[in-house]
Short mmCIF file of all heavy atoms in Angstrom, two decimals:
data_model
loop_
_atom_site.label_atom_id
_atom_site.label_comp_id
_atom_site.label_asym_id
_atom_site.label_seq_id
_atom_site.Cartn_x
_atom_site.Cartn_y
_atom_site.Cartn_z
N ALA A 451 100.68 51.26 12.92
CA ALA A 451 101.36 51.98 11.83
C ALA A 451 102.29 51.04 11.08
O ALA A 451 102.35 51.05 9.83
CB ALA A 451 102.13 53.18 12.38
N GLN A 452 103.01 50.20 11.82
CA GLN A 452 103.92 49.25 11.17
C GLN A 452 103.12 48.19 10.42
O GLN A 452 103.49 47.78 9.32
CB GLN A 452 104.84 48.59 12.21
CG GLN A 452 105.96 47.77 11.60
CD GLN A 452 106.93 48.62 10.78
OE1 GLN A 452 107.14 49.79 11.05
NE2 GLN A 452 107.51 48.02 9.77
N ALA A 453 102.01 47.75 10.99
CA ALA A 453 101.15 46.77 10.31
C ALA A 453 100.62 47.37 9.00
O ALA A 453 100.53 46.68 7.98
CB ALA A 453 100.00 46.35 11.21
N ASP A 454 100.28 48.66 9.03
CA ASP A 454 99.83 49.32 7.80
C ASP A 454 100.91 49.28 6.72
O ASP A 454 100.61 49.12 5.54
CB ASP A 454 99.42 50.77 8.08
CG ASP A 454 98.09 50.87 8.79
OD1 ASP A 454 97.30 49.89 8.76
OD2 ASP A 454 97.82 51.94 9.38
N LYS A 455 102.16 49.43 7.12
CA LYS A 455 103.26 49.36 6.16
C LYS A 455 103.35 47.96 5.55
O LYS A 455 103.53 47.80 4.34
CB LYS A 455 104.59 49.73 6.82
CG LYS A 455 104.66 51.20 7.21
CD LYS A 455 105.94 51.50 7.97
CE LYS A 455 105.95 52.94 8.46
NZ LYS A 455 107.14 53.25 9.26
N VAL A 456 103.22 46.94 6.39
CA VAL A 456 103.28 45.56 5.90
C VAL A 456 102.10 45.30 4.97
O VAL A 456 102.27 44.74 3.87
CB VAL A 456 103.27 44.55 7.08
CG1 VAL A 456 103.16 43.12 6.57
CG2 VAL A 456 104.52 44.72 7.93
N LEU A 457 100.91 45.71 5.37
CA LEU A 457 99.72 45.48 4.56
C LEU A 457 99.78 46.28 3.25
O LEU A 457 99.30 45.81 2.21
CB LEU A 457 98.46 45.83 5.35
CG LEU A 457 98.19 44.92 6.55
CD1 LEU A 457 97.04 45.48 7.39
CD2 LEU A 457 97.89 43.51 6.09
N GLY A 458 100.37 47.46 3.29
CA GLY A 458 100.54 48.24 2.07
C GLY A 458 101.44 47.53 1.07
O GLY A 458 101.18 47.52 -0.14
N LEU A 459 102.50 46.91 1.58
CA LEU A 459 103.39 46.15 0.70
C LEU A 459 102.69 44.91 0.14
O LEU A 459 102.88 44.55 -1.02
CB LEU A 459 104.67 45.75 1.45
CG LEU A 459 105.60 46.93 1.74
CD1 LEU A 459 106.64 46.54 2.78
CD2 LEU A 459 106.27 47.40 0.46
N GLU A 460 101.85 44.28 0.97
CA GLU A 460 101.08 43.13 0.49
C GLU A 460 100.14 43.57 -0.64
O GLU A 460 100.01 42.90 -1.66
CB GLU A 460 100.30 42.50 1.63
CG GLU A 460 99.55 41.25 1.21
CD GLU A 460 98.81 40.58 2.35
OE1 GLU A 460 98.73 41.16 3.45
OE2 GLU A 460 98.30 39.47 2.13
N ARG A 461 99.52 44.73 -0.47
CA ARG A 461 98.65 45.28 -1.51
C ARG A 461 99.44 45.52 -2.79
O ARG A 461 99.00 45.20 -3.88
CB ARG A 461 98.02 46.60 -1.03
CG ARG A 461 97.13 47.26 -2.07
CD ARG A 461 96.98 48.76 -1.76
NE ARG A 461 96.44 49.47 -2.88
CZ ARG A 461 97.13 49.91 -3.93
NH1 ARG A 461 98.41 49.70 -4.02
NH2 ARG A 461 96.55 50.57 -4.90
N ASP A 462 100.63 46.10 -2.65
CA ASP A 462 101.48 46.37 -3.81
C ASP A 462 101.84 45.07 -4.54
O ASP A 462 101.90 45.03 -5.77
CB ASP A 462 102.75 47.10 -3.40
CG ASP A 462 102.48 48.53 -2.91
OD1 ASP A 462 101.36 49.04 -3.14
OD2 ASP A 462 103.39 49.11 -2.29
N MET A 463 102.09 44.01 -3.76
CA MET A 463 102.42 42.72 -4.37
C MET A 463 101.23 42.18 -5.16
O MET A 463 101.38 41.71 -6.29
CB MET A 463 102.84 41.72 -3.29
CG MET A 463 104.20 42.01 -2.71
SD MET A 463 104.66 40.88 -1.38
CE MET A 463 104.74 39.34 -2.27
N LYS A 464 100.05 42.25 -4.57
CA LYS A 464 98.86 41.75 -5.25
C LYS A 464 98.57 42.57 -6.50
O LYS A 464 98.18 42.03 -7.54
CB LYS A 464 97.66 41.75 -4.31
CG LYS A 464 97.77 40.69 -3.24
CD LYS A 464 96.60 40.71 -2.30
CE LYS A 464 96.75 39.61 -1.26
NZ LYS A 464 95.60 39.52 -0.38
N ARG A 465 98.79 43.87 -6.42
CA ARG A 465 98.59 44.73 -7.59
C ARG A 465 99.57 44.36 -8.70
O ARG A 465 99.20 44.31 -9.88
CB ARG A 465 98.78 46.19 -7.18
CG ARG A 465 98.46 47.18 -8.29
CD ARG A 465 98.61 48.62 -7.78
NE ARG A 465 98.08 49.58 -8.70
CZ ARG A 465 98.72 50.00 -9.80
NH1 ARG A 465 99.91 49.53 -10.09
NH2 ARG A 465 98.16 50.89 -10.60
N LYS A 466 100.81 44.12 -8.34
CA LYS A 466 101.82 43.73 -9.33
C LYS A 466 101.45 42.39 -9.97
O LYS A 466 101.61 42.20 -11.17
CB LYS A 466 103.20 43.67 -8.66
CG LYS A 466 104.33 43.29 -9.58
CD LYS A 466 104.46 44.14 -10.82
CE LYS A 466 105.06 45.47 -10.59
NZ LYS A 466 105.31 46.19 -11.89
N GLN A 467 100.94 41.46 -9.18
CA GLN A 467 100.52 40.17 -9.72
C GLN A 467 99.35 40.34 -10.68
O GLN A 467 99.33 39.73 -11.76
CB GLN A 467 100.13 39.21 -8.58
CG GLN A 467 101.32 38.79 -7.74
CD GLN A 467 100.92 38.17 -6.42
OE1 GLN A 467 99.80 38.30 -5.96
NE2 GLN A 467 101.88 37.50 -5.78
N LEU A 468 98.40 41.18 -10.32
CA LEU A 468 97.27 41.44 -11.20
C LEU A 468 97.73 42.13 -12.48
O LEU A 468 97.27 41.79 -13.58
CB LEU A 468 96.21 42.28 -10.49
CG LEU A 468 94.97 42.62 -11.32
CD1 LEU A 468 94.23 41.34 -11.74
CD2 LEU A 468 94.04 43.52 -10.53
N GLN A 469 98.65 43.05 -12.35
CA GLN A 469 99.18 43.74 -13.53
C GLN A 469 99.81 42.73 -14.50
O GLN A 469 99.61 42.82 -15.72
CB GLN A 469 100.22 44.78 -13.10
CG GLN A 469 100.82 45.56 -14.26
CD GLN A 469 101.88 46.53 -13.78
OE1 GLN A 469 102.67 46.21 -12.89
NE2 GLN A 469 101.89 47.71 -14.37
N LEU A 470 100.55 41.79 -13.97
CA LEU A 470 101.16 40.75 -14.81
C LEU A 470 100.09 39.96 -15.55
O LEU A 470 100.18 39.74 -16.77
CB LEU A 470 102.02 39.81 -13.97
CG LEU A 470 102.53 38.55 -14.68
CD1 LEU A 470 103.43 38.91 -15.86
CD2 LEU A 470 103.25 37.65 -13.69
N LEU A 471 99.06 39.54 -14.83
CA LEU A 471 98.00 38.75 -15.45
C LEU A 471 97.25 39.54 -16.53
O LEU A 471 96.88 39.00 -17.57
CB LEU A 471 97.04 38.23 -14.39
CG LEU A 471 97.66 37.26 -13.38
CD1 LEU A 471 96.65 36.90 -12.30
CD2 LEU A 471 98.21 36.02 -14.06
N VAL A 472 97.06 40.82 -16.30
CA VAL A 472 96.41 41.67 -17.30
C VAL A 472 97.30 41.80 -18.53
O VAL A 472 96.82 41.71 -19.67
CB VAL A 472 96.07 43.06 -16.70
CG1 VAL A 472 95.68 44.05 -17.78
CG2 VAL A 472 94.96 42.93 -15.66
N ARG A 473 98.59 42.00 -18.33
CA ARG A 473 99.51 42.12 -19.46
C ARG A 473 99.55 40.84 -20.29
O ARG A 473 99.63 40.89 -21.52
CB ARG A 473 100.91 42.50 -18.98
CG ARG A 473 100.97 43.94 -18.52
CD ARG A 473 102.33 44.33 -18.05
NE ARG A 473 102.34 45.75 -17.70
CZ ARG A 473 103.39 46.38 -17.21
NH1 ARG A 473 104.53 45.73 -17.01
NH2 ARG A 473 103.31 47.66 -16.91
N ILE A 474 99.51 39.71 -19.59
CA ILE A 474 99.50 38.43 -20.31
C ILE A 474 98.22 38.32 -21.15
O ILE A 474 98.27 37.99 -22.33
CB ILE A 474 99.64 37.25 -19.34
CG1 ILE A 474 101.06 37.21 -18.77
CG2 ILE A 474 99.28 35.93 -20.02
CD1 ILE A 474 101.25 36.23 -17.64
N LYS A 475 97.09 38.62 -20.54
CA LYS A 475 95.82 38.52 -21.28
C LYS A 475 95.83 39.46 -22.48
O LYS A 475 95.39 39.08 -23.57
CB LYS A 475 94.64 38.84 -20.36
CG LYS A 475 93.30 38.72 -21.08
CD LYS A 475 92.13 38.90 -20.16
CE LYS A 475 90.83 38.70 -20.94
NZ LYS A 475 89.66 38.71 -20.07
N ASN A 476 96.32 40.67 -22.29
CA ASN A 476 96.33 41.64 -23.38
C ASN A 476 97.28 41.26 -24.51
O ASN A 476 97.12 41.73 -25.63
CB ASN A 476 96.67 43.04 -22.85
CG ASN A 476 95.54 43.65 -22.08
OD1 ASN A 476 94.39 43.23 -22.19
ND2 ASN A 476 95.85 44.65 -21.27
N ALA A 477 98.24 40.41 -24.23
CA ALA A 477 99.16 39.95 -25.27
C ALA A 477 98.56 38.84 -26.13
O ALA A 477 99.08 38.53 -27.20
CB ALA A 477 100.47 39.46 -24.63
N LEU A 478 97.46 38.25 -25.66
CA LEU A 478 96.83 37.14 -26.36
C LEU A 478 95.67 37.60 -27.22
O LEU A 478 94.95 38.53 -26.86
CB LEU A 478 96.32 36.11 -25.35
CG LEU A 478 97.36 35.49 -24.41
CD1 LEU A 478 96.68 34.69 -23.32
CD2 LEU A 478 98.34 34.64 -25.20
N THR A 479 95.47 36.91 -28.33
CA THR A 479 94.29 37.19 -29.16
C THR A 479 93.06 36.56 -28.50
O THR A 479 93.18 35.71 -27.60
CB THR A 479 94.45 36.59 -30.57
OG1 THR A 479 94.48 35.16 -30.45
CG2 THR A 479 95.71 37.10 -31.27
N THR A 480 91.90 36.96 -28.97
CA THR A 480 90.65 36.39 -28.45
C THR A 480 90.63 34.88 -28.66
O THR A 480 90.21 34.13 -27.78
CB THR A 480 89.44 37.05 -29.15
OG1 THR A 480 89.53 38.46 -28.93
CG2 THR A 480 88.14 36.54 -28.59
N GLU A 481 91.08 34.44 -29.83
CA GLU A 481 91.10 33.00 -30.13
C GLU A 481 92.04 32.26 -29.20
O GLU A 481 91.73 31.15 -28.74
CB GLU A 481 91.51 32.77 -31.59
CG GLU A 481 90.52 33.28 -32.61
CD GLU A 481 90.59 34.80 -32.84
OE1 GLU A 481 91.62 35.45 -32.49
OE2 GLU A 481 89.60 35.36 -33.35
N GLN A 482 93.20 32.85 -28.91
CA GLN A 482 94.15 32.21 -28.00
C GLN A 482 93.57 32.13 -26.58
O GLN A 482 93.75 31.12 -25.89
CB GLN A 482 95.47 32.98 -27.98
CG GLN A 482 96.26 32.82 -29.27
CD GLN A 482 97.43 33.78 -29.36
OE1 GLN A 482 97.36 34.91 -28.87
NE2 GLN A 482 98.51 33.34 -29.99
N GLN A 483 92.86 33.15 -26.17
CA GLN A 483 92.22 33.13 -24.86
C GLN A 483 91.17 32.03 -24.79
O GLN A 483 91.09 31.30 -23.79
CB GLN A 483 91.58 34.49 -24.56
CG GLN A 483 92.60 35.59 -24.36
CD GLN A 483 91.95 36.94 -24.15
OE1 GLN A 483 90.85 37.04 -23.61
NE2 GLN A 483 92.63 38.01 -24.58
N ASP A 484 90.39 31.88 -25.85
CA ASP A 484 89.38 30.81 -25.89
C ASP A 484 90.05 29.45 -25.81
O ASP A 484 89.59 28.56 -25.08
CB ASP A 484 88.54 30.91 -27.17
CG ASP A 484 87.60 32.11 -27.17
OD1 ASP A 484 87.32 32.66 -26.07
OD2 ASP A 484 87.16 32.51 -28.26
N ARG A 485 91.14 29.27 -26.55
CA ARG A 485 91.87 27.99 -26.51
C ARG A 485 92.40 27.71 -25.11
O ARG A 485 92.35 26.57 -24.63
CB ARG A 485 93.02 28.00 -27.51
CG ARG A 485 92.59 27.62 -28.90
CD ARG A 485 93.78 27.44 -29.81
NE ARG A 485 93.65 28.44 -30.86
CZ ARG A 485 94.62 28.98 -31.55
NH1 ARG A 485 95.87 28.61 -31.34
NH2 ARG A 485 94.39 29.88 -32.47
N LEU A 486 92.92 28.74 -24.47
CA LEU A 486 93.44 28.57 -23.11
C LEU A 486 92.34 28.16 -22.13
O LEU A 486 92.56 27.30 -21.28
CB LEU A 486 94.08 29.87 -22.62
CG LEU A 486 95.58 29.98 -22.80
CD1 LEU A 486 96.06 31.34 -22.35
CD2 LEU A 486 96.33 28.89 -22.06
N ARG A 487 91.18 28.77 -22.26
CA ARG A 487 90.07 28.39 -21.38
C ARG A 487 89.72 26.92 -21.58
O ARG A 487 89.48 26.19 -20.62
CB ARG A 487 88.85 29.27 -21.67
CG ARG A 487 88.93 30.63 -21.05
CD ARG A 487 87.63 31.43 -21.23
NE ARG A 487 87.91 32.83 -21.09
CZ ARG A 487 88.21 33.67 -22.10
NH1 ARG A 487 88.21 33.24 -23.35
NH2 ARG A 487 88.48 34.93 -21.87
N ASN A 488 89.69 26.48 -22.82
CA ASN A 488 89.39 25.08 -23.12
C ASN A 488 90.47 24.16 -22.58
O ASN A 488 90.17 23.11 -22.00
CB ASN A 488 89.20 24.87 -24.62
CG ASN A 488 87.93 25.51 -25.14
OD1 ASN A 488 86.96 25.68 -24.41
ND2 ASN A 488 87.93 25.90 -26.41
N LEU A 489 91.72 24.53 -22.78
CA LEU A 489 92.83 23.71 -22.28
C LEU A 489 92.80 23.64 -20.75
O LEU A 489 93.01 22.57 -20.17
CB LEU A 489 94.17 24.30 -22.75
CG LEU A 489 94.49 24.12 -24.23
CD1 LEU A 489 95.63 25.04 -24.64
CD2 LEU A 489 94.83 22.67 -24.52
N ARG A 490 92.54 24.75 -20.11
CA ARG A 490 92.47 24.77 -18.65
C ARG A 490 91.35 23.88 -18.15
O ARG A 490 91.51 23.13 -17.19
CB ARG A 490 92.28 26.22 -18.17
CG ARG A 490 92.18 26.34 -16.67
CD ARG A 490 92.27 27.76 -16.17
NE ARG A 490 91.38 28.68 -16.86
CZ ARG A 490 91.49 30.00 -16.80
NH1 ARG A 490 92.43 30.56 -16.07
NH2 ARG A 490 90.64 30.77 -17.44
N ALA A 491 90.20 23.94 -18.80
CA ALA A 491 89.06 23.11 -18.40
C ALA A 491 89.38 21.63 -18.60
O ALA A 491 89.06 20.79 -17.74
CB ALA A 491 87.82 23.50 -19.20
N ARG A 492 90.01 21.29 -19.71
CA ARG A 492 90.36 19.88 -19.98
C ARG A 492 91.38 19.35 -18.99
O ARG A 492 91.35 18.18 -18.64
CB ARG A 492 90.90 19.73 -21.39
CG ARG A 492 89.81 19.45 -22.40
CD ARG A 492 90.37 19.06 -23.72
NE ARG A 492 90.61 20.29 -24.46
CZ ARG A 492 91.48 20.43 -25.44
NH1 ARG A 492 92.22 19.42 -25.80
NH2 ARG A 492 91.61 21.57 -26.06
N GLU A 493 92.29 20.21 -18.55
CA GLU A 493 93.33 19.77 -17.61
C GLU A 493 92.79 19.69 -16.18
O GLU A 493 93.49 19.24 -15.29
CB GLU A 493 94.51 20.74 -17.64
CG GLU A 493 95.32 20.64 -18.89
CD GLU A 493 96.50 21.59 -18.89
OE1 GLU A 493 96.65 22.40 -17.95
OE2 GLU A 493 97.29 21.52 -19.84
N GLY A 494 91.59 20.17 -15.98
CA GLY A 494 91.02 20.13 -14.64
C GLY A 494 91.58 21.18 -13.72
O GLY A 494 91.48 21.08 -12.51
N ASN A 495 92.19 22.23 -14.28
CA ASN A 495 92.73 23.31 -13.46
C ASN A 495 91.63 24.23 -12.96
O ASN A 495 91.89 25.15 -12.23
CB ASN A 495 93.74 24.14 -14.25
CG ASN A 495 95.05 23.42 -14.41
OD1 ASN A 495 95.31 22.44 -13.76
ND2 ASN A 495 95.88 23.91 -15.31
N GLY A 496 90.41 23.98 -13.40
CA GLY A 496 89.31 24.81 -12.93
C GLY A 496 89.54 26.25 -13.30
O GLY A 496 89.91 26.57 -14.39
#
């Protein structure tokens, strides 16, 4: 039961992280997203 509480909080953290990434993407235009993909590829960030 206690492990479930810990794992639930871990889930909440991952959800919050995903929510942030979605909000960032939604704030960008399609062109900006394309530029970011190119910049990321050039920097070798995979």
Side-chain angles (χ1 to χ4, degrees):
Q452 189 64 30
D454 285 341
K455 292 176 185 177
V456 173
L457 293 171
L459 289 165
E460 184 177 9
R461 178 202 166 277
D462 292 345
M463 288 177 64
K464 289 179 179 184
R465 186 177 191 280
K466 180 54 77 173
Q467 292 165 343
L468 180 61
Q469 180 182 40
L470 170 62
L471 296 175
V472 168
R473 287 180 177 178
I474 289 171
K475 182 175 183 173
N476 287 341
L478 300 170
T479 66
T480 303
E481 294 79 18
Q482 289 169 326
Q483 292 176 31
D484 289 341
R485 276 188 242 153
L486 265 177
R487 281 186 202 93
N488 290 333
L489 288 165
R490 179 168 50 195
R492 270 190 272 156
E493 288 181 356
N495 285 347

